[in-house]
Amino acid sequence: MWCLKAAVISLSVCAVLGGRDFPPGFIFGAASAAYQVEGAWNISDKSLSIWDYFAHTYPEKIVDSATGDVACNSYNKWETDIEIASELGVHFYRFSISWPRLLPSGFPDYISEDGKRYYNNLINTLLEKRIQPVVTLYHFDLPQSLQDLGGWTNPLVSDWFANYARVAFSLFGDRVKFWITLNEPITVCDIAYNTGSQAPGYISPGVGNYICNKNAMLAHAKAYRIYDKEFRSKYNGKVSIVNEIFWLEADTVNDEEAAEKARQLMAGMYCHPIFSKQGGWPPIIERIIAEKSNKEGLPYSRLPAFTEEEIKLVKGLN
Ligand SMILES: *[C@@H]1O[C@H](CO)[C@@H](O)[C@H](O)[C@H]1NC(C)=O
């Protein structure tokens, strides 16, 4: 867990050098992702994730042909890891649940006892050490069986995700008060489908990424609404999404418009549907992709539209 130490140290250095105080209630922590730390890729009834498959099938696409087969071995060393986190004095530990470890078929027909036990142990021991668990439901490791059905480009994927989220909320929601639905949809959709450099390794720029974008927004929203309807009154937790924001500034005044377009593409795509008053895609992006699609002779936009109902589902109440 050296990475955890580095994160905490750099934050303290920033605080000192900046000469400013963090506001009261500001909490420090560390974060990981299941595939990056757990290892134990083939233990018990766990099924393959798209990263297991990708790393084993395309070793040439990964630096040094590394895999997460063992990683930090946190599946076996979780107790030591929590001790280290406790010594560091972190207030929270963010980790992700491996979907194929908890639900090996990808669906809620069968819950892995070992998967359940692992995450219960982790959560309970963190709480004993007064470390708040912050749980990410999806950090890039889709069950490969769902990928074989199209993964994030299958329109049913938002329901598959929502059903998985419901299982996690009902198993762990009594103790987990901070939930993250998706980690960085820009990575899941745009970096993955535009470059093929990440699992699932398909290259479908301007098509696959946009279909994925829409499904990811719906997946987030459906999980969020399920928490609202079925769990919030009992558990009173918070549910959000992690967006990676690539911020771009114009170099000259002449580039202001281009910079704004770029920001809308890199950040607005995942923020506008949720946080804007009108909801839906950023209008400028929707217009540009529709025009380009039209010029290419397509009778529709490559960016799938939201229905009115979907806009409402995804949008907050602001
Ligand atoms: C699991 O994978 C490891 C390599 O990471 C291998 O040595 C081991 O035999 C595998 N176990 C099973 C049960 O397939």
PDB file of all heavy atoms in Angstrom, residues 239-266:
ATOM      1  N   VAL A 239     -25.055   8.848  -2.575  1.00  0.00           N
ATOM      2  CA  VAL A 239     -24.680   8.131  -3.796  1.00  0.00           C
ATOM      3  C   VAL A 239     -24.252   9.163  -4.825  1.00  0.00           C
ATOM      4  O   VAL A 239     -24.959  10.151  -5.048  1.00  0.00           O
ATOM      5  CB  VAL A 239     -25.875   7.327  -4.363  1.00  0.00           C
ATOM      6  CG1 VAL A 239     -25.459   6.553  -5.609  1.00  0.00           C
ATOM      7  CG2 VAL A 239     -26.448   6.386  -3.310  1.00  0.00           C
ATOM      8  N   SER A 240     -23.092   8.958  -5.427  1.00  0.00           N
ATOM      9  CA  SER A 240     -22.666   9.892  -6.468  1.00  0.00           C
ATOM     10  C   SER A 240     -21.860   9.165  -7.538  1.00  0.00           C
ATOM     11  O   SER A 240     -21.821   7.933  -7.567  1.00  0.00           O
ATOM     12  CB  SER A 240     -21.870  11.046  -5.856  1.00  0.00           C
ATOM     13  OG  SER A 240     -21.733  12.082  -6.812  1.00  0.00           O
ATOM     14  N   ILE A 241     -21.247   9.944  -8.402  1.00  0.00           N
ATOM     15  CA  ILE A 241     -20.490   9.402  -9.512  1.00  0.00           C
ATOM     16  C   ILE A 241     -19.109  10.066  -9.454  1.00  0.00           C
ATOM     17  O   ILE A 241     -18.983  11.177  -8.928  1.00  0.00           O
ATOM     18  CB  ILE A 241     -21.214   9.726 -10.836  1.00  0.00           C
ATOM     19  CG1 ILE A 241     -20.567   9.046 -12.046  1.00  0.00           C
ATOM     20  CG2 ILE A 241     -21.303  11.235 -11.085  1.00  0.00           C
ATOM     21  CD1 ILE A 241     -21.446   9.114 -13.303  1.00  0.00           C
ATOM     22  N   VAL A 242     -18.082   9.399  -9.964  1.00  0.00           N
ATOM     23  CA  VAL A 242     -16.770  10.046 -10.042  1.00  0.00           C
ATOM     24  C   VAL A 242     -16.502  10.403 -11.500  1.00  0.00           C
ATOM     25  O   VAL A 242     -16.404   9.529 -12.357  1.00  0.00           O
ATOM     26  CB  VAL A 242     -15.653   9.127  -9.501  1.00  0.00           C
ATOM     27  CG1 VAL A 242     -14.278   9.650  -9.924  1.00  0.00           C
ATOM     28  CG2 VAL A 242     -15.725   9.048  -7.983  1.00  0.00           C
ATOM     29  N   ASN A 243     -16.442  11.688 -11.763  1.00  0.00           N
ATOM     30  CA  ASN A 243     -16.103  12.152 -13.106  1.00  0.00           C
ATOM     31  C   ASN A 243     -14.663  12.613 -13.134  1.00  0.00           C
ATOM     32  O   ASN A 243     -14.220  13.361 -12.258  1.00  0.00           O
ATOM     33  CB  ASN A 243     -17.004  13.324 -13.514  1.00  0.00           C
ATOM     34  CG  ASN A 243     -18.375  12.847 -13.932  1.00  0.00           C
ATOM     35  OD1 ASN A 243     -18.541  11.728 -14.409  1.00  0.00           O
ATOM     36  ND2 ASN A 243     -19.373  13.697 -13.755  1.00  0.00           N
ATOM     37  N   GLU A 244     -13.949  12.143 -14.129  1.00  0.00           N
ATOM     38  CA  GLU A 244     -12.599  12.665 -14.315  1.00  0.00           C
ATOM     39  C   GLU A 244     -12.723  13.876 -15.231  1.00  0.00           C
ATOM     40  O   GLU A 244     -13.187  13.759 -16.362  1.00  0.00           O
ATOM     41  CB  GLU A 244     -11.693  11.622 -14.958  1.00  0.00           C
ATOM     42  CG  GLU A 244     -10.313  12.186 -15.175  1.00  0.00           C
ATOM     43  CD  GLU A 244      -9.306  11.131 -15.619  1.00  0.00           C
ATOM     44  OE1 GLU A 244      -9.714  10.112 -16.178  1.00  0.00           O
ATOM     45  OE2 GLU A 244      -8.116  11.344 -15.417  1.00  0.00           O
ATOM     46  N   ILE A 245     -12.336  15.013 -14.720  1.00  0.00           N
ATOM     47  CA  ILE A 245     -12.498  16.244 -15.498  1.00  0.00           C
ATOM     48  C   ILE A 245     -11.169  16.623 -16.142  1.00  0.00           C
ATOM     49  O   ILE A 245     -10.201  16.935 -15.450  1.00  0.00           O
ATOM     50  CB  ILE A 245     -12.983  17.407 -14.596  1.00  0.00           C
ATOM     51  CG1 ILE A 245     -14.259  17.025 -13.832  1.00  0.00           C
ATOM     52  CG2 ILE A 245     -13.184  18.664 -15.423  1.00  0.00           C
ATOM     53  CD1 ILE A 245     -15.486  16.787 -14.667  1.00  0.00           C
ATOM     54  N   PHE A 246     -11.140  16.585 -17.464  1.00  0.00           N
ATOM     55  CA  PHE A 246      -9.989  17.112 -18.199  1.00  0.00           C
ATOM     56  C   PHE A 246     -10.318  18.567 -18.503  1.00  0.00           C
ATOM     57  O   PHE A 246     -11.184  18.852 -19.331  1.00  0.00           O
ATOM     58  CB  PHE A 246      -9.778  16.348 -19.513  1.00  0.00           C
ATOM     59  CG  PHE A 246      -9.317  14.934 -19.301  1.00  0.00           C
ATOM     60  CD1 PHE A 246     -10.222  13.884 -19.277  1.00  0.00           C
ATOM     61  CD2 PHE A 246      -7.965  14.657 -19.138  1.00  0.00           C
ATOM     62  CE1 PHE A 246      -9.789  12.572 -19.086  1.00  0.00           C
ATOM     63  CE2 PHE A 246      -7.529  13.346 -18.952  1.00  0.00           C
ATOM     64  CZ  PHE A 246      -8.445  12.305 -18.931  1.00  0.00           C
ATOM     65  N   TRP A 247      -9.681  19.471 -17.813  1.00  0.00           N
ATOM     66  CA  TRP A 247     -10.012  20.895 -17.957  1.00  0.00           C
ATOM     67  C   TRP A 247      -9.101  21.537 -19.001  1.00  0.00           C
ATOM     68  O   TRP A 247      -7.889  21.340 -18.958  1.00  0.00           O
ATOM     69  CB  TRP A 247      -9.847  21.624 -16.625  1.00  0.00           C
ATOM     70  CG  TRP A 247     -10.424  22.988 -16.663  1.00  0.00           C
ATOM     71  CD1 TRP A 247      -9.753  24.161 -16.780  1.00  0.00           C
ATOM     72  CD2 TRP A 247     -11.814  23.319 -16.598  1.00  0.00           C
ATOM     73  NE1 TRP A 247     -10.628  25.203 -16.791  1.00  0.00           N
ATOM     74  CE2 TRP A 247     -11.899  24.718 -16.688  1.00  0.00           C
ATOM     75  CE3 TRP A 247     -12.998  22.570 -16.482  1.00  0.00           C
ATOM     76  CZ2 TRP A 247     -13.128  25.394 -16.664  1.00  0.00           C
ATOM     77  CZ3 TRP A 247     -14.204  23.229 -16.458  1.00  0.00           C
ATOM     78  CH2 TRP A 247     -14.258  24.629 -16.546  1.00  0.00           C
ATOM     79  N   LEU A 248      -9.665  22.268 -19.914  1.00  0.00           N
ATOM     80  CA  LEU A 248      -8.851  22.902 -20.954  1.00  0.00           C
ATOM     81  C   LEU A 248      -9.052  24.412 -20.945  1.00  0.00           C
ATOM     82  O   LEU A 248     -10.176  24.885 -20.876  1.00  0.00           O
ATOM     83  CB  LEU A 248      -9.221  22.337 -22.336  1.00  0.00           C
ATOM     84  CG  LEU A 248      -8.923  20.842 -22.473  1.00  0.00           C
ATOM     85  CD1 LEU A 248     -10.184  20.018 -22.294  1.00  0.00           C
ATOM     86  CD2 LEU A 248      -8.262  20.554 -23.797  1.00  0.00           C
ATOM     87  N   GLU A 249      -7.943  25.129 -20.995  1.00  0.00           N
ATOM     88  CA  GLU A 249      -7.974  26.589 -21.022  1.00  0.00           C
ATOM     89  C   GLU A 249      -7.492  27.060 -22.383  1.00  0.00           C
ATOM     90  O   GLU A 249      -6.553  26.489 -22.941  1.00  0.00           O
ATOM     91  CB  GLU A 249      -7.022  27.162 -19.961  1.00  0.00           C
ATOM     92  CG  GLU A 249      -7.479  26.979 -18.541  1.00  0.00           C
ATOM     93  CD  GLU A 249      -8.595  27.923 -18.136  1.00  0.00           C
ATOM     94  OE1 GLU A 249      -8.753  28.979 -18.801  1.00  0.00           O
ATOM     95  OE2 GLU A 249      -9.310  27.608 -17.171  1.00  0.00           O
ATOM     96  N   ALA A 250      -8.094  28.128 -22.869  1.00  0.00           N
ATOM     97  CA  ALA A 250      -7.669  28.691 -24.153  1.00  0.00           C
ATOM     98  C   ALA A 250      -6.315  29.378 -23.991  1.00  0.00           C
ATOM     99  O   ALA A 250      -6.041  30.003 -22.973  1.00  0.00           O
ATOM    100  CB  ALA A 250      -8.704  29.681 -24.646  1.00  0.00           C
ATOM    101  N   ASP A 251      -5.494  29.259 -25.027  1.00  0.00           N
ATOM    102  CA  ASP A 251      -4.184  29.897 -25.023  1.00  0.00           C
ATOM    103  C   ASP A 251      -4.336  31.374 -25.390  1.00  0.00           C
ATOM    104  O   ASP A 251      -3.674  32.241 -24.838  1.00  0.00           O
ATOM    105  CB  ASP A 251      -3.309  29.182 -26.062  1.00  0.00           C
ATOM    106  CG  ASP A 251      -1.874  29.126 -25.636  1.00  0.00           C
ATOM    107  OD1 ASP A 251      -1.611  29.335 -24.430  1.00  0.00           O
ATOM    108  OD2 ASP A 251      -1.009  28.882 -26.493  1.00  0.00           O
ATOM    109  N   THR A 252      -5.202  31.623 -26.340  1.00  0.00           N
ATOM    110  CA  THR A 252      -5.456  33.008 -26.767  1.00  0.00           C
ATOM    111  C   THR A 252      -6.965  33.228 -26.780  1.00  0.00           C
ATOM    112  O   THR A 252      -7.732  32.259 -26.720  1.00  0.00           O
ATOM    113  CB  THR A 252      -4.946  33.260 -28.199  1.00  0.00           C
ATOM    114  OG1 THR A 252      -5.782  32.518 -29.106  1.00  0.00           O
ATOM    115  CG2 THR A 252      -3.505  32.812 -28.378  1.00  0.00           C
ATOM    116  N   VAL A 253      -7.360  34.495 -26.877  1.00  0.00           N
ATOM    117  CA  VAL A 253      -8.787  34.830 -26.894  1.00  0.00           C
ATOM    118  C   VAL A 253      -9.484  34.122 -28.055  1.00  0.00           C
ATOM    119  O   VAL A 253     -10.640  33.710 -27.948  1.00  0.00           O
ATOM    120  CB  VAL A 253      -8.976  36.356 -27.058  1.00  0.00           C
ATOM    121  CG1 VAL A 253     -10.407  36.751 -26.711  1.00  0.00           C
ATOM    122  CG2 VAL A 253      -7.991  37.105 -26.190  1.00  0.00           C
ATOM    123  N   ASN A 254      -8.756  33.973 -29.160  1.00  0.00           N
ATOM    124  CA  ASN A 254      -9.348  33.328 -30.337  1.00  0.00           C
ATOM    125  C   ASN A 254      -9.705  31.868 -30.103  1.00  0.00           C
ATOM    126  O   ASN A 254     -10.468  31.286 -30.854  1.00  0.00           O
ATOM    127  CB  ASN A 254      -8.369  33.397 -31.524  1.00  0.00           C
ATOM    128  CG  ASN A 254      -8.148  34.826 -31.971  1.00  0.00           C
ATOM    129  OD1 ASN A 254      -8.988  35.698 -31.706  1.00  0.00           O
ATOM    130  ND2 ASN A 254      -7.015  35.076 -32.627  1.00  0.00           N
ATOM    131  N   ASP A 255      -9.097  31.285 -29.075  1.00  0.00           N
ATOM    132  CA  ASP A 255      -9.344  29.860 -28.822  1.00  0.00           C
ATOM    133  C   ASP A 255     -10.435  29.623 -27.776  1.00  0.00           C
ATOM    134  O   ASP A 255     -10.710  28.477 -27.420  1.00  0.00           O
ATOM    135  CB  ASP A 255      -8.047  29.179 -28.326  1.00  0.00           C
ATOM    136  CG  ASP A 255      -6.925  29.318 -29.331  1.00  0.00           C
ATOM    137  OD1 ASP A 255      -7.228  29.294 -30.540  1.00  0.00           O
ATOM    138  OD2 ASP A 255      -5.753  29.452 -28.901  1.00  0.00           O
ATOM    139  N   GLU A 256     -11.033  30.711 -27.295  1.00  0.00           N
ATOM    140  CA  GLU A 256     -12.022  30.547 -26.216  1.00  0.00           C
ATOM    141  C   GLU A 256     -13.162  29.603 -26.596  1.00  0.00           C
ATOM    142  O   GLU A 256     -13.558  28.743 -25.818  1.00  0.00           O
ATOM    143  CB  GLU A 256     -12.637  31.901 -25.812  1.00  0.00           C
ATOM    144  CG  GLU A 256     -11.709  32.805 -25.025  1.00  0.00           C
ATOM    145  CD  GLU A 256     -11.309  32.245 -23.653  1.00  0.00           C
ATOM    146  OE1 GLU A 256     -11.865  31.224 -23.215  1.00  0.00           O
ATOM    147  OE2 GLU A 256     -10.404  32.836 -23.039  1.00  0.00           O
ATOM    148  N   GLU A 257     -13.655  29.773 -27.819  1.00  0.00           N
ATOM    149  CA  GLU A 257     -14.804  28.976 -28.234  1.00  0.00           C
ATOM    150  C   GLU A 257     -14.414  27.497 -28.329  1.00  0.00           C
ATOM    151  O   GLU A 257     -15.167  26.623 -27.889  1.00  0.00           O
ATOM    152  CB  GLU A 257     -15.303  29.487 -29.586  1.00  0.00           C
ATOM    153  CG  GLU A 257     -16.750  29.158 -29.836  1.00  0.00           C
ATOM    154  CD  GLU A 257     -17.170  29.515 -31.259  1.00  0.00           C
ATOM    155  OE1 GLU A 257     -16.781  30.605 -31.746  1.00  0.00           O
ATOM    156  OE2 GLU A 257     -17.852  28.683 -31.882  1.00  0.00           O
ATOM    157  N   ALA A 258     -13.232  27.266 -28.887  1.00  0.00           N
ATOM    158  CA  ALA A 258     -12.760  25.881 -29.025  1.00  0.00           C
ATOM    159  C   ALA A 258     -12.552  25.256 -27.644  1.00  0.00           C
ATOM    160  O   ALA A 258     -12.892  24.080 -27.419  1.00  0.00           O
ATOM    161  CB  ALA A 258     -11.461  25.849 -29.822  1.00  0.00           C
ATOM    162  N   ALA A 259     -12.008  26.042 -26.723  1.00  0.00           N
ATOM    163  CA  ALA A 259     -11.763  25.520 -25.372  1.00  0.00           C
ATOM    164  C   ALA A 259     -13.081  25.143 -24.707  1.00  0.00           C
ATOM    165  O   ALA A 259     -13.180  24.106 -24.045  1.00  0.00           O
ATOM    166  CB  ALA A 259     -11.010  26.547 -24.533  1.00  0.00           C
ATOM    167  N   GLU A 260     -14.081  25.982 -24.898  1.00  0.00           N
ATOM    168  CA  GLU A 260     -15.386  25.689 -24.292  1.00  0.00           C
ATOM    169  C   GLU A 260     -15.983  24.408 -24.889  1.00  0.00           C
ATOM    170  O   GLU A 260     -16.516  23.566 -24.172  1.00  0.00           O
ATOM    171  CB  GLU A 260     -16.336  26.883 -24.462  1.00  0.00           C
ATOM    172  CG  GLU A 260     -17.744  26.674 -23.951  1.00  0.00           C
ATOM    173  CD  GLU A 260     -17.854  26.260 -22.474  1.00  0.00           C
ATOM    174  OE1 GLU A 260     -16.867  26.376 -21.719  1.00  0.00           O
ATOM    175  OE2 GLU A 260     -18.942  25.792 -22.079  1.00  0.00           O
ATOM    176  N   LYS A 261     -15.853  24.258 -26.210  1.00  0.00           N
ATOM    177  CA  LYS A 261     -16.342  23.025 -26.848  1.00  0.00           C
ATOM    178  C   LYS A 261     -15.618  21.812 -26.268  1.00  0.00           C
ATOM    179  O   LYS A 261     -16.231  20.791 -25.980  1.00  0.00           O
ATOM    180  CB  LYS A 261     -16.070  23.060 -28.361  1.00  0.00           C
ATOM    181  CG  LYS A 261     -17.101  23.803 -29.160  1.00  0.00           C
ATOM    182  CD  LYS A 261     -16.759  23.682 -30.646  1.00  0.00           C
ATOM    183  CE  LYS A 261     -17.427  24.779 -31.450  1.00  0.00           C
ATOM    184  NZ  LYS A 261     -16.788  24.967 -32.766  1.00  0.00           N
ATOM    185  N   ALA A 262     -14.317  21.941 -26.109  1.00  0.00           N
ATOM    186  CA  ALA A 262     -13.522  20.826 -25.588  1.00  0.00           C
ATOM    187  C   ALA A 262     -13.929  20.494 -24.153  1.00  0.00           C
ATOM    188  O   ALA A 262     -14.057  19.323 -23.786  1.00  0.00           O
ATOM    189  CB  ALA A 262     -12.032  21.162 -25.654  1.00  0.00           C
ATOM    190  N   ARG A 263     -14.163  21.535 -23.362  1.00  0.00           N
ATOM    191  CA  ARG A 263     -14.596  21.284 -21.971  1.00  0.00           C
ATOM    192  C   ARG A 263     -15.956  20.595 -21.940  1.00  0.00           C
ATOM    193  O   ARG A 263     -16.197  19.703 -21.128  1.00  0.00           O
ATOM    194  CB  ARG A 263     -14.646  22.603 -21.182  1.00  0.00           C
ATOM    195  CG  ARG A 263     -13.288  23.158 -20.821  1.00  0.00           C
ATOM    196  CD  ARG A 263     -13.410  24.289 -19.804  1.00  0.00           C
ATOM    197  NE  ARG A 263     -14.071  25.458 -20.338  1.00  0.00           N
ATOM    198  CZ  ARG A 263     -13.436  26.538 -20.824  1.00  0.00           C
ATOM    199  NH1 ARG A 263     -12.121  26.598 -20.825  1.00  0.00           N
ATOM    200  NH2 ARG A 263     -14.123  27.560 -21.279  1.00  0.00           N
ATOM    201  N   GLN A 264     -16.831  21.006 -22.840  1.00  0.00           N
ATOM    202  CA  GLN A 264     -18.156  20.369 -22.883  1.00  0.00           C
ATOM    203  C   GLN A 264     -18.033  18.896 -23.275  1.00  0.00           C
ATOM    204  O   GLN A 264     -18.764  18.054 -22.777  1.00  0.00           O
ATOM    205  CB  GLN A 264     -19.084  21.102 -23.865  1.00  0.00           C
ATOM    206  CG  GLN A 264     -19.518  22.479 -23.383  1.00  0.00           C
ATOM    207  CD  GLN A 264     -20.373  22.434 -22.122  1.00  0.00           C
ATOM    208  OE1 GLN A 264     -20.906  21.399 -21.735  1.00  0.00           O
ATOM    209  NE2 GLN A 264     -20.489  23.569 -21.448  1.00  0.00           N
ATOM    210  N   LEU A 265     -17.083  18.624 -24.171  1.00  0.00           N
ATOM    211  CA  LEU A 265     -16.896  17.237 -24.610  1.00  0.00           C
ATOM    212  C   LEU A 265     -16.250  16.392 -23.509  1.00  0.00           C
ATOM    213  O   LEU A 265     -16.635  15.251 -23.274  1.00  0.00           O
ATOM    214  CB  LEU A 265     -16.031  17.189 -25.875  1.00  0.00           C
ATOM    215  CG  LEU A 265     -15.860  15.798 -26.493  1.00  0.00           C
ATOM    216  CD1 LEU A 265     -17.162  15.292 -27.095  1.00  0.00           C
ATOM    217  CD2 LEU A 265     -14.762  15.800 -27.560  1.00  0.00           C
ATOM    218  N   MET A 266     -15.268  16.979 -22.839  1.00  0.00           N
ATOM    219  CA  MET A 266     -14.504  16.208 -21.859  1.00  0.00           C
ATOM    220  C   MET A 266     -15.172  16.139 -20.484  1.00  0.00           C
ATOM    221  O   MET A 266     -14.928  15.204 -19.733  1.00  0.00           O
ATOM    222  CB  MET A 266     -13.105  16.806 -21.686  1.00  0.00           C
ATOM    223  CG  MET A 266     -12.344  16.960 -22.980  1.00  0.00           C
ATOM    224  SD  MET A 266     -12.087  15.385 -23.808  1.00  0.00           S
ATOM    225  CE  MET A 266     -10.470  14.971 -23.211  1.00  0.00           C
TER     226      MET A 266
END
